Amino acid sequence: MNTANFPWLTTIILFPIAASLLTPIIPDKDGKTIRWYALIVGLIDFALIVYAFSTQYDFNNPNLQLVESYPWVPQLDLNWSVGADGLSMPLILLTGFITTLATLAAWPVTLKPRLFYFLLLAMYGGQIAVFAVQDMLLFFLVWELELIPVYLLLAIWGGKKRQYAATKFILYTAGGSLFILIGALTMAFYGDTVTFDMRSLAVKDYALNFQLLVYAGFLVAYAVKLPIIPLHTWLPDAHGEATAPVHMLLAGILLKMGGYALIRMNAGILPDAHALFAPVLVILGVVNIIYAALTSFAQRNLKRKIAYSSISHMGFVVIGFASFTDLGLSGAVLQMVSHGLIGASLFFLVGATYDRTHTLMLDEMGGVGKRMQKIFAMFTTCSMASLALPGMSGFVAELMIFVGFATSDAYSPTFKVIVVFLMAVGVILTPIYLLSMLREIFYGQENEELVSHQKLIDAEPREVFIIACLLVPIIGIGFYPKLLTQVYDSTTVQMTARLRDSVPTLAQEKRQAAEVSLNTPVIGN
């Protein structure tokens, strides 16, 4: 069999979606068969992802690979077009990994298990498609496809305010999606040719004012999903009502879709507009870091505290890809993967803690570490990863963004000093609210009322296994970042070079350096 011509990405996307359609007819009485079915499907798809990228993908090639294109509406040049490069490949791997673990985390689900796992599998394929499709209209369609399962997972299996949280989620994200559709249609019909192919759109000669307008629309759409303040308020509400597996998908994958789209669409297709918007993005990133960290510090609800922590950490992604340096952009991609792993682990542990204590209020906890020692140890380790402890992936990612922005020649020294100082303040705030959270949950005197009403049993083997699976890459990347950075370095270097050419001052310096090298006489023979 010639595996080089096999439609790997199409298979990886459609397999879990097709498998989800079989869930209504699988014989099952108590939900046990259907959950094993979903887990096996997830494992098979993840194995296909790993095999395809380990055997068919060249890490040194910065361009799209595993490209597949099939005509859909030829009159509009609309195709089923997929491919992967250094930006999308790590996030496709992350999606397969997190979704498979989320399926295992959903083991206790007993309410409408067929529908739950149907939505989980459909969402699996839709999320991978977001990172793989190379057609703007198709991108909009799979972006919308992914929203429906999340809405239902919140509205049916959420907490007391699940209807409010689900409605707010769909209003924010669907409203933002309109800007994607308008931007896609506007770019497609711009100029003499009509096309939705992203590579063709990237080489069109857009007027600067047109770029700025489309860039602003895309920024609104993707800022909702990232999320960027002030378009962030849906996230704490969604996390406040979600179950553990949905938490993992929200924190581990959905937020990364916004960051990926900003890099792929805004920076990749509209680089001239990105050069003008970059200082605004840096300011928004700083606001995310500081405001969300301070808000997290003030939260008394455990889920909302971690949710605001996620918003704060995603601010580093915005600054990294606006730095115009190889190191900054590389750090932004690493931060997305790192936060996906760390966020999923923390929210899973929040769910595990709630299942035992039946409360999310920190004031009602205290001293439970004496009875739940394994959960205490895992929660502490994952919190250390979130506060960027050296040896964890978060430390490497944030350090790369720090150094990448500090050494950028696209900004004035004064601006860089102010931004780096504020970023450092955000880094200092993180251990304060995370360590105080650990103290309130696990240390001190036991809450007698809580202990007398709840059975505070320790972690099950399944829960320990899920956290162990997440900690292996978190620690592995922390000690050996090249494990991941070598996967995408060639792509980020190529993209940074193109972005730097869009900054007038940097482009002029590059031309002057080239002229000097050409005019320098060669001595010797």
Side-chain angles (χ1 to χ4, degrees):
M1 179 181 176
N2 186 4
T3 57
N5 296 323
F6 186 79
W8 289 107
L9 288 177
T10 298
T11 302
I12 289 167
I13 292 169
L14 296 182
F15 174 67
I17 296 176
S20 70
L21 300 177
L22 299 178
T23 54
I25 62 174
I26 294 176
D28 185 38
K29 293 183 178 180
D30 53 6
K32 293 182 179 179
T33 303
I34 202 72
R35 69 187 185 188
W36 276 107
Y37 171 76
L39 180 60
I40 292 170
V41 169
L43 287 170
I44 292 173
D45 207 54
F46 182 58
L48 286 173
I49 295 171
V50 173
Y51 179 81
F53 286 133
S54 61
T55 61
Q56 309 298 320
Y57 189 88
D58 180 7
F59 296 159
N60 297 317
N61 183 355
N63 302 313
L64 280 177
Q65 302 178 57
L66 303 176
V67 176
E68 304 161 29
S69 185
Y70 309 102
W72 188 8
V73 184
Q75 294 85 349
L76 294 176
D77 191 30
L78 182 58
N79 306 298
W80 170 267
S81 179
V82 293
D85 61 7
L87 289 178
S88 53
M89 196 272 271
L91 297 174
I92 292 174
L93 280 168
L94 178 70
T95 300
F97 185 60
I98 296 294
T99 308
T100 303
L101 289 178
T103 306
L104 185 58
W107 226 240
V109 171
T110 56
L111 174 66
K112 301 180 181 178
R114 288 182 188 274
L115 179 58
F116 185 91
Y117 288 107
F118 165 78
L119 295 171
L120 214 60
L121 291 175
M123 191 174 171
Y124 195 160
Q127 288 173 327
I128 293 175
V130 167
F131 299 123
V133 297
Q134 299 301 319
D135 183 284
M136 276 299 296
L137 192 56
L138 184 59
F139 177 84
F140 167 75
L141 294 176
V142 296
W143 184 278
E144 289 296 286
L145 172 65
E146 170 271 332
L147 300 182
I148 299 170
V150 179
Y151 171 79
L152 293 175
L153 288 168
L154 285 172
I156 298 175
W157 289 272
K160 294 180 180 179
K161 297 181 179 180
R162 57 184 179 274
Q163 297 296 337
Y164 171 78
T167 303
K168 192 172 184 179
F169 165 80
I170 203 70
L171 288 176
Y172 269 72
T173 52
S177 300
L178 291 176
F179 291 95
I180 303 177
L181 178 60
I182 295 170
L185 292 172
T186 306
M187 289 193 301
F189 289 95
Y190 186 93
D192 299 329
T193 59
V194 178
T195 180
F196 290 96
D197 182 75
M198 291 182 187
R199 288 170 291 181
S200 300
L201 292 175
V203 298
K204 280 191 175 184
D205 187 17
Y206 303 108
L208 181 59
N209 288 338
F210 177 85
Q211 283 199 40
L212 292 172
L213 188 62
V214 176
Y215 191 104
F218 281 161
L219 180 59
V220 171
Y222 305 139
V224 171
K225 191 62 71 73
L226 189 64
I228 295 176
I229 294 167
L231 302 175
H232 68 290
T233 58
W234 65 269
L235 184 66
D237 290 318
H239 272 306
E241 304 304 321
T243 55
V246 181
H247 280 312
M248 296 175 71
L249 297 175
L250 284 172
I253 305 169
L254 260 73
L255 305 190
K256 314 309 169 287
M257 291 165 57
Y260 166 80
L262 277 174
I263 299 173
R264 173 72 73 194
M265 314 294 179
N266 290 47
I269 299 179
L270 306 166
D272 295 333
H274 179 67
L276 297 177
F277 266 97
V280 178
L281 291 172
V282 172
I283 294 171
L284 289 173
V286 170
V287 171
N288 256 45
I289 293 170
I290 300 295
Y291 173 82
L294 290 172
T295 308
S296 178
F297 185 77
Q299 295 299 311
R300 306 306 301 160
N301 181 295
L302 184 55
K303 288 185 177 181
R304 296 180 70 89
K305 181 180 282 287
I306 302 298
Y308 276 104
S309 175
S310 290
I311 297 171
S312 178
H313 285 298
M314 291 304 291
F316 286 96
V317 175
V318 180
I319 295 174
F321 98 92
S323 66
F324 296 101
T325 62
D326 296 337
L327 193 60
L329 182 56
S330 179
V333 177
L334 183 60
Q335 175 72 346
M336 284 195 288
V337 176
S338 171
H339 180 265
L341 298 167
I342 296 171
S345 65
L346 280 175
F347 275 113
F348 173 73
L349 288 170
V350 169
T353 303
Y354 175 77
D355 289 342
R356 290 158 171 80
T357 62
H358 296 285
T359 180
L360 292 170
M361 304 309 296
L362 294 172
D363 299 332
E364 299 173 3
M365 299 183 188
V368 299
K370 298 176 182 178
R371 297 173 182 264
M372 302 189 300
Q373 296 181 8
K374 293 178 184 176
I375 289 180
F376 168 52
M378 293 188 295
F379 220 132
T380 302
T381 305
C382 294
S383 297
M384 295 300 107
S386 183
L387 61 80
L389 185 75
M392 304 286 197
S393 58
F395 172 78
V396 181
E398 293 182 12
L399 181 63
M400 290 173 67
I401 294 170
F402 259 102
V403 177
F405 183 80
T407 57
S408 174
D409 50 1
Y411 302 99
S412 68
T414 303
F415 184 72
K416 288 193 294 184
V417 168
I418 294 173
V419 170
V420 169
F421 171 76
L422 292 175
M423 290 168 67
V425 171
V427 171
I428 293 171
L429 289 173
T430 304
I432 294 176
Y433 65 72
L434 285 177
L435 293 176
S436 65
M437 175 193 74
L438 292 174
R439 174 181 56 79
E440 291 187 88
I441 299 173
F442 297 106
Y443 290 97
Q445 293 295 321
E446 287 185 344
N447 183 337
E448 296 296 337
E449 184 177 355
L450 174 66
V451 173
S452 62
H453 286 83
Q454 307 297 342
K455 294 181 180 180
L456 302 180
I457 58 174
D458 211 346
E460 303 170 359
R462 175 182 59 87
E463 295 168 326
V464 174
F465 176 78
I466 290 172
I467 294 300
C469 288
L470 291 166
L471 284 176
V472 167
I474 290 172
I475 297 173
I477 294 170
F479 278 100
Y480 190 63
K482 192 177 178 181
L483 185 71
L484 181 61
T485 57
Q486 65 181 348
V487 170
Y488 60 78
D489 269 347
S490 60
T491 301
T492 54
V493 168
Q494 183 186 68
M495 175 167 279
T496 301
R498 185 173 181 229
L499 294 177
R500 290 176 65 84
D501 287 340
S502 300
V503 181
T505 55
L506 299 181
Q508 183 178 1
E509 291 175 3
K510 182 179 178 179
R511 287 193 296 270
Q512 291 174 348
E515 291 172 1
V516 170
S517 64
L518 288 174
N519 296 328
T520 302
V522 178
I523 301 175
N525 188 0

